[in-house]
Amino acid sequence: MSSLKERLLRHKKSIAGTQEREEEVKARMPAGDEPPGPAEEGQATHGGSRPESAAEIDEWMVVGAAMEHTEWGDFVIRRRTYEAGFRHGEHELGRLSSCAEELFALLEPTAGKAAANRSAAPFHERLLFLDTETTGLGHGAGNVPFMVGVGFYQGDQYHIEQMLIRHPGEESAMLAYLEQKLAAHPVLISYNGKSFDWPILKNRYIMNRMELVAELSGHIDFLHPSRSLWKHTLPSCRLGKVEEERLGVRREEDVPGSLAPTLYFQYLAQRDPSVLEGVFVHNELDVLSLAGLAVHFACLLNGSYDWSHARLFGLEECFRLGLWLDKIGRSGMADTVMNALTEELLAADELASEEPCLLPLAQFCKRRGRYTQACSLWSRYIALKGGRATASLEPYIELSMYYEHKEKQWERALDYAQEALDHLWRRDALKRSGERKSNALSGNRSREKEEREEDAEAVSLRKRIERLRRKASSSASARRAASAVEQDASDSLLPTQSSAQTQAKLSAGAAGQAPVQGAASAVSRVPQSTRKRKSSLSAVEQLSMPL
């Protein structure tokens, strides 16, 4: 609360100072004229407007604004114009005129066609950048947008108009003026506008019984691409943080958006326009940042900012850039980013903070059918974190699946599956030893759920191991049978020279030559009964008898 008080005091004028300014206004006015009071200010109707006094015109010059008189009524407007060379952070706003068509990729397909066919004007001139300041954060009828800031291009110039209502009676006039801007610039660009700003404005048209004739050709909400690119690398995706970290915008003594409703209520109580000066500046910077983001995203889409630009903020941001490009249909650019990232990850000697993108990048390569790169990344992850208890089982399982289904190498697939099961066992043992005391004191529902999931994972791994063992065993049997068949075939093709030599040696023995070793071995295989009968015969008769 102390910080809130300090901010209020910094932007608050004393009541005495306000009274002195009112007395000075009265002194400058002709005799008999009185400055309008709050009751007179609320007399504006939908059908017309009343002439404003010189005091009312002069008081808004303090914040660089003036009164706008329309057929629907009066409201306060503040206008600013920026030339093409104006830089908001790192980007020149005029650069959008040459690359705005790239933003078609961020539109829905049907909205993109409508935006393309709606007008012959250049696409950047059909964009309307919108940001609102409201009295609350809800979507109910009590939440009123008291300030609406819009930005649009005319040629290379960027114009900002900020509309403010001094009381609820001026809301219809502001909404009617906004509808004219929507008709001239039918493609809306906002930051979280699809969920907040635009639904609130449509509700206000209904509450004021006004028909919104001008329909949008498309709506680009920069919050969604910002989250896709920077959700994992920035502490927050608020517009202020994004513009500071990625656009290079530094705001000095800026009034936060959460303080805007408080300052507006202070203005309603004191009727001092200077109280709202900080709110005007804050809203103007928001609308400028929308144009800066448009230039940034367009440069990413046309290749002006390639993967090396994102590499300045880390490998994780390179990976998110590739995913975002693939999501919006820029597959070729996504492959370029992912290939460069893969090469750098595999070539690096050491990786400390870049490990989180290894497994998601491997899955991306797998979806693309680049299994060689995917296997290299899984192996890289195992080499980096395989010995840690917190390491993922995914690379082991994926490699086991690859060698089973793609390479048909059952033994290698079995090794990876067994490593996964061993790693799961070590991890579970470490968890059980570390959480034994905490589980005794706290509820065990979450732990029981984790155990069921781990048990299911272990069961799946055991089934995989059994299947791979069967495949490996049958494969080994098939290889042994194949080798035996090959051996039999080679034996059948040997020449009969050895049999002829054996017969010749036996004949030589019959002629009185020394018997050969083969004949002796053949005689040793003769049954004993036959050998006894042969012993009573002569040598010639023994040789003539059959073996």
Side-chain angles (χ1 to χ4, degrees):
M1 293 298 295
S2 60
S3 61
L4 179 62
K5 289 181 179 179
E6 292 175 359
R7 291 170 180 169
L8 285 173
L9 290 174
R10 188 166 62 246
H11 298 283
K12 178 178 177 182
K13 280 184 173 289
S14 63
I15 300 298
T18 304
Q19 292 176 351
E20 291 178 359
R21 184 179 57 80
E22 292 178 352
E23 291 177 359
E24 292 177 359
V25 171
K26 290 181 180 179
R28 292 199 304 267
M29 294 180 61
D33 290 343
E34 294 293 335
E40 295 176 349
E41 289 179 345
Q43 294 177 357
T45 61
H46 294 295
S49 61
R50 61 179 178 78
E52 301 294 332
S53 63
E56 289 176 322
I57 296 175
D58 292 341
E59 67 179 359
W60 289 104
M61 293 179 63
V62 177
V63 294
M67 294 300 302
E68 182 78 9
H69 307 288
T70 67
E71 60 181 356
W72 285 85
D74 303 334
F75 59 91
V76 179
I77 193 166
R78 182 174 181 261
R79 293 184 172 92
R80 291 288 184 272
T81 301
Y82 295 91
E83 299 298 330
F86 177 80
R87 299 184 68 89
H88 183 64
E90 298 178 355
H91 302 291
E92 290 186 3
L93 299 186
R95 188 175 181 180
L96 188 63
S97 60
S98 61
C99 57
E101 290 78 8
E102 301 293 340
L103 299 177
F104 272 120
L106 304 181
L107 285 168
E108 298 177 359
T110 55
K113 293 179 181 179
N117 300 329
R118 182 70 176 265
S119 172
F123 184 64
H124 74 287
E125 294 186 4
R126 283 176 270 165
L127 303 176
L128 185 69
F129 303 86
L130 180 139
D131 184 70
T132 63
E133 307 297 335
T134 60
T135 57
L137 298 177
H139 291 81
N143 191 13
V144 179
F146 63 87
M147 181 183 293
V148 178
V150 296
F152 53 91
Y153 280 89
Q154 290 181 347
D156 292 336
Q157 291 182 332
Y158 186 61
H159 300 269
I160 294 179
E161 294 184 356
Q162 298 168 277
M163 297 157 275
L164 173 76
I165 57 173
R166 300 171 297 173
H167 51 78
E170 295 181 343
E171 185 179 18
S172 58
M174 180 185 69
L175 294 175
Y177 186 83
L178 175 62
E179 186 175 8
Q180 295 177 2
K181 294 299 177 183
L182 290 171
H185 312 277
V187 180
L188 194 64
I189 291 184
S190 64
Y191 200 88
N192 196 30
K194 286 186 176 180
S195 301
F196 186 75
D197 300 82
W198 185 238
I200 287 178
L201 286 172
K202 289 196 297 184
N203 288 339
R204 300 315 301 177
Y205 278 99
I206 296 173
M207 294 295 296
N208 285 271
R209 297 181 179 181
M210 300 175 64
E211 182 180 2
L212 186 59
V213 179
E215 297 182 0
L216 297 180
S217 295
H219 189 172
I220 302 175
D221 192 339
F222 281 157
L223 175 63
H224 304 302
S226 297
R227 282 178 174 171
S228 298
L229 289 171
W230 304 309
K231 180 176 65 175
H232 298 269
T233 54
L234 291 182
S236 171
C237 284
R238 294 183 297 104
L239 179 58
K241 179 59 66 175
V242 168
E243 69 178 10
E244 179 181 352
E245 298 293 336
R246 293 299 178 264
L247 300 183
V249 176
R250 300 290 185 271
R251 299 193 185 190
E252 301 294 338
E253 297 184 358
D254 177 50
V255 174
S258 59
L259 192 59
T262 304
L263 295 174
Y264 181 66
F265 290 134
Q266 181 182 351
Y267 161 75
L268 294 179
Q270 299 180 1
R271 293 295 171 179
D272 182 6
S274 62
V275 173
L276 297 175
E277 182 178 3
V279 181
F280 274 107
V281 174
H282 172 81
N283 183 262
E284 178 186 359
L285 291 175
D286 284 348
V287 179
L288 281 172
S289 293
L290 288 176
L293 279 175
V295 176
H296 187 84
F297 289 131
C299 290
L300 287 176
L301 290 170
N302 69 2
S304 299
Y305 293 161
D306 57 4
W307 71 274
S308 60
H309 182 271
R311 179 64 184 88
L312 299 175
F313 304 100
L315 294 179
E316 179 70 17
E317 186 150 329
C318 285
F319 174 69
R320 298 298 163 183
L321 173 61
L323 285 184
W324 177 65
L325 291 171
D326 184 63
K327 179 182 178 181
I328 62 176
R330 302 296 177 91
S331 300
M333 298 177 66
D335 289 338
T336 301
V337 174
M338 294 304 197
N339 289 335
L341 179 58
T342 302
E343 292 177 1
E344 183 168 351
L345 283 172
L346 295 177
D349 295 332
E350 295 182 0
L351 292 175
S353 61
E354 316 301 347
E355 300 159 4
C357 66
L358 271 173
L359 295 182
L361 180 58
Q363 288 294 334
F364 180 87
C365 295
K366 178 184 175 182
R367 291 195 300 269
R368 282 285 196 271
R370 298 196 291 267
Y371 291 100
T372 303
Q373 290 180 333
C375 290
S376 300
L377 291 169
W378 287 323
S379 301
R380 180 70 165 158
Y381 180 89
I382 292 174
L384 287 172
K385 301 185 67 174
R388 303 181 187 179
T390 57
S392 174
L393 300 179
E394 178 184 333
Y396 298 98
I397 298 174
E398 290 289 349
L399 286 170
S400 178
M401 294 170 58
Y402 171 76
Y403 285 110
E404 177 185 2
H405 301 295
K406 295 293 182 182
E407 297 294 330
K408 310 300 181 184
Q409 299 181 17
W410 321 120
E411 290 83 359
R412 196 165 185 180
L414 178 61
D415 292 340
Y416 280 114
Q418 188 63 54
E419 287 183 17
L421 185 62
D422 294 343
H423 188 78
L424 178 63
W425 182 86
R426 291 195 302 269
R427 189 178 66 184
D428 293 347
L430 183 62
K431 285 185 179 180
R432 284 192 295 269
S433 62
E435 298 178 356
R436 189 172 299 160
K437 294 182 180 180
S438 61
N439 288 337
L441 300 175
S442 61
N444 295 330
R445 290 185 178 180
S446 60
R447 178 57 187 166
E448 290 175 358
K449 181 179 179 182
E450 292 179 1
E451 288 178 353
R452 287 195 299 269
E453 294 176 353
E454 292 168 357
D455 291 342
E457 196 170 25
V459 170
S460 176
L461 281 173
R462 291 191 184 97
K463 289 181 179 179
R464 179 179 297 277
I465 290 172
E466 292 175 1
R467 184 178 69 250
L468 289 171
R469 282 175 178 170
R470 290 194 300 269
K471 289 184 177 181
S473 177
S474 61
S475 176
S477 300
R479 285 197 302 270
R480 287 195 297 269
S483 62
V485 170
E486 291 177 358
Q487 184 66 31
D488 292 341
S490 62
D491 292 343
S492 64
L493 295 177
L494 290 175
T496 59
Q497 180 181 2
S498 58
S499 300
Q501 290 176 352
T502 303
Q503 187 65 28
K505 290 179 180 179
L506 289 175
S507 301
Q513 297 179 1
V516 296
Q517 183 179 359
S521 63
V523 172
S524 66
R525 291 196 297 270
V526 177
Q528 186 177 5
S529 59
T530 306
R531 291 200 299 270
K532 286 181 179 179
R533 286 189 291 109
K534 286 185 177 182
S535 61
S536 60
L537 300 177
S538 63
V540 176
E541 290 176 345
Q542 290 178 10
L543 289 173
S544 63
M545 288 183 64
L547 296 176

